[in-house]
Amino acid sequence: MTKQPHLISICNQKGGVGKSTFTVLAASLLHYRMGRRVLVVDCDYPQWSIHEQRQRELQLVDGSERYKLMLLRQYKATGQKIWPVVRCRLPEAMQRAESFLDRQDVEYDYVLFDLPGA
């Protein structure tokens, strides 16, 4: 990794204020609308709601020709695959993000960290 991506932490001391929702919206805006490469690191243990949402989305796509077609249309319109999600606990977040980025063939512009509310 030669380019250093922008690191953005989405945090608040209280849970349930929309950190995960904001992270998903910011990642989608940066990635699909602005064409930036985005990695989301879901550190919001124990629910890991972004990771769980992505798993549900992938299961829906696997089981539905309609959703497969919608995903293909999105890819054709934006030229972007879905942004990746890494799930980990907070103490290992930077190491896991760096490890993911080091294994990629392309350089990322942003890493968004969804932190736990505590």
Side-chain angles (χ1 to χ4, degrees):
M1 175 175 69
T2 58
K3 177 182 176 183
Q4 179 63 36
H6 297 281
L7 306 176
I8 301 173
S9 297
I10 313 301
C11 57
N12 191 301
Q13 293 177 337
K14 183 181 180 309
V17 297
K19 295 179 303 291
S20 298
T21 300
F22 184 81
T23 302
V24 168
L25 290 172
S28 295
L29 173 74
L30 288 166
H31 188 67
Y32 298 117
R33 294 284 183 163
M34 299 178 71
R36 306 295 193 265
R37 299 239 182 234
V38 177
L39 167 64
V40 171
V41 181
D42 188 355
C43 306
D44 197 4
Y45 171 82
Q47 61 268 16
W48 286 309
S49 56
I50 296 174
H51 180 266
E52 292 301 316
Q53 176 185 344
R54 176 56 54 83
Q55 295 306 309
R56 287 190 302 272
E57 291 168 352
L58 293 175
Q59 287 176 352
L60 282 172
V61 169
D62 279 345
S64 169
E65 291 302 317
R66 178 174 174 248
Y67 286 126
K68 287 178 187 173
L69 182 59
M70 289 172 64
L71 191 60
L72 180 61
R73 285 180 181 156
Q74 177 180 315
Y75 176 73
K76 286 181 178 180
T78 65
Q80 300 283 5
K81 296 180 181 179
I82 58 176
W83 40 263
V85 178
V86 172
R87 182 184 85 166
C88 65
R89 289 189 177 209
L90 185 56
E92 61 198 38
M94 282 302 298
Q95 184 273 329
R96 293 284 304 274
E98 289 171 357
S99 175
F100 176 90
L101 294 172
D102 286 342
R103 293 190 312 267
Q104 304 308 303
D105 295 333
V106 296
E107 295 190 343
Y108 278 66
D109 301 300
Y110 293 92
V111 178
L112 304 180
F113 295 90
D114 183 37
L115 302 182

